[in-house]
Amino acid sequence: MEIFMGIALATFIFIAKFISMASSATPPVTFVFGDSLTEVGNNNFLQYSLAKSNYPWYGIDYASGQATGRFTNGRTIGDIISAKLGISSPPPYLSLSPNDDALLEGVNYASGGAGILNDTGLYFIERLSFDDQIQNFNKTKEAIKSKIGEQAAVKLCNEALYFIGIGSNDYVNNFLQPFLADGQQYTHDEFVGLLTSTFREQLLRLYQLGARKMVIHGVGPLGCIPSQRVKSKKGQCLKRVNQWVLEFNSKVQKLISSLNKKLPKSSILFADSYPAVYDLITNPTEYDTSIGGLCLPNSKPCSNRRDYVFWDAFHPSDAANAVLADRLFSTLFSAPPSLAPTPHSD
């Protein structure tokens, strides 16, 4: 009970500050960290990266109708939430010059293939791990200091919003790959311990750099994504994979509770995306979508893209992202989230 009381207190504090910022005349500054679910084009600037989406038919339903580096047919969840906040979606870090004025308004550091662990997604050759992204944020802070002075830079970083969605690739492109070392070297208990201890140090580093208001996106039901379901003879969700994800999410929740107690003025919120994604997959008709197929980028795109939960074997469609963004936004701005949700069982 003590753990969830800590989560509740942090949640109420965070939501109050979040609402205050949203209603402020000054648009909120947002910094985004993560993987392909939140990337907006960083990997396009990595010459040798194999984790890119800058080809048809990605972006077909984006405003420009062109591929932008987003791993979906349209918008990411971050794009949609930014629009709801009345701000532009932060640009990719690698698209900006070191002294660009846009750094003062928010940056997206996310990179397809990225993970909490530095060896996650190794076979993509180039990608920005979470450690790399934090280092790039450090460079951003130094650039901001040179522009507006140290005191103003500290204030900007303390008041900014930090959206962090990482961890999926540590499973899909690491632990679940039989030819990689981690899946053979560690039991899952050992692996999840390594993940959470590494994640703890990374969040502490962000805090030391000025991050105070953080939203940590939980990992969704990876056992239900098409690349995993194809391993089932009947195309069903993989129960063991989903259970591993639930264990990881639970560890992260406890980690967040601990950090909120330890770190002065920290407001860290766990956004549990698992139930929403699982519900969208298992009850698609409730959202006017289906899960009957995939819109693969190397084939002719289907005309009814709004009817599908997944765009490719790993990533949600624009329509699914819209549903999930609405859920997250209402959690942050309308009512306190469920403090101890009971995960769906498969």
Side-chain angles (χ1 to χ4, degrees):
M1 179 62 72
E2 180 183 355
I3 289 175
F4 294 116
M5 285 179 66
I7 294 175
L9 179 59
T11 298
F12 283 118
I13 293 173
F14 186 91
I15 289 175
K17 292 180 179 178
F18 213 109
I19 292 173
S20 174
M21 293 190 71
S23 60
S24 170
T26 304
V29 174
T30 59
F31 295 109
V32 181
F33 302 80
D35 49 34
S36 57
L37 295 176
T38 49
E39 190 191 336
V40 295
N42 276 307
N43 284 11
N44 287 350
F45 297 88
L46 299 176
Q47 183 179 357
Y48 301 108
S49 177
L50 300 180
K52 294 183 180 180
S53 59
N54 59 340
Y55 52 84
W57 300 96
Y58 288 95
I60 189 173
D61 296 310
Y62 193 67
S64 64
Q66 301 295 318
T68 62
R70 290 164 171 81
F71 286 76
T72 181
N73 57 308
R75 303 161 296 172
T76 67
I77 291 176
D79 291 328
I80 298 167
I81 289 179
S82 291
K84 289 177 178 291
L85 290 172
I87 61 175
S88 298
S89 188
Y93 171 76
L94 294 180
S95 72
L96 303 173
S97 65
N99 295 310
D100 201 310
D101 287 342
L103 295 172
L104 300 171
E105 300 175 2
V107 181
N108 186 309
Y109 303 93
S111 173
I116 293 170
L117 304 178
N118 288 327
D119 57 353
T120 287
L122 190 64
Y123 43 68
F124 293 129
I125 312 301
E126 283 188 299
R127 73 275 181 237
L128 302 174
S129 69
F130 192 28
D131 277 341
D132 293 331
Q133 294 175 40
I134 294 171
Q135 182 55 35
N136 286 335
F137 172 67
N138 184 34
K139 294 177 183 177
T140 297
K141 183 178 179 182
E142 292 302 312
I144 291 174
K145 272 201 280 188
S146 69
K147 283 181 173 296
I148 62 177
E150 183 169 2
Q151 186 174 355
V154 169
K155 184 175 186 292
L156 184 151
C157 292
N158 285 172
E159 294 181 352
L161 306 175
Y162 297 77
F163 291 92
I164 302 165
I166 199 86
S168 295
N169 283 319
D170 291 291
Y171 283 94
V172 176
N173 291 305
N174 191 341
F175 188 72
L176 295 176
Q177 295 293 350
F179 54 86
L180 295 180
D182 284 0
Q184 302 176 28
Q185 180 178 354
Y186 301 109
T187 66
H188 183 257
D189 284 346
E190 293 169 340
F191 184 71
V192 78
L194 175 63
L195 275 185
T196 51
S197 62
T198 304
F199 197 36
R200 180 180 185 276
E201 295 307 309
Q202 291 165 333
L203 294 179
L204 285 173
R205 174 70 173 145
L206 271 178
Y207 177 85
Q208 291 164 357
L209 291 172
R212 296 294 180 269
K213 306 176 183 68
M214 296 182 253
V215 178
I216 312 296
H217 297 264
V219 174
L222 296 178
C224 294
I225 67 176
S227 69
Q228 296 301 307
R229 289 175 67 160
V230 73
K231 300 175 183 179
S232 166
K233 292 181 179 180
K234 297 183 179 179
Q236 296 175 328
C237 296
L238 302 185
K239 294 181 180 180
R240 184 176 67 166
V241 173
N242 281 348
Q243 186 58 46
W244 284 342
V245 169
L246 290 172
E247 290 174 18
F248 171 70
N249 284 345
S250 176
K251 296 280 190 183
V252 172
Q253 283 180 290
K254 292 176 181 178
L255 168 62
I256 289 172
S257 176
S258 172
L259 292 178
N260 275 324
K261 293 174 183 177
K262 175 182 178 180
L263 303 177
K265 298 182 180 179
S266 66
S267 298
I268 310 174
L269 175 65
F270 181 78
D272 191 1
S273 60
Y274 186 105
V277 177
Y278 188 87
D279 193 43
L280 183 59
I281 292 170
T282 55
N283 299 299
T285 56
E286 296 296 319
Y287 305 93
D288 297 321
T289 62
S290 67
I291 194 173
L294 301 175
C295 295
L296 296 174
N298 60 348
S299 61
K300 182 179 178 181
C302 53
S303 59
N304 57 333
R305 293 181 291 275
R306 290 187 56 83
D307 294 339
Y308 291 88
V309 173
F310 288 99
W311 165 248
D312 60 17
F314 302 92
H315 307 102
S317 66
D318 177 273
N321 282 337
V323 171
L324 299 172
D326 284 343
R327 284 279 193 95
L328 177 58
F329 194 81
S330 63
T331 295
L332 292 173
F333 290 101
S334 300
S338 174
L339 302 179
T342 302
H344 293 76
S345 58
D346 299 321

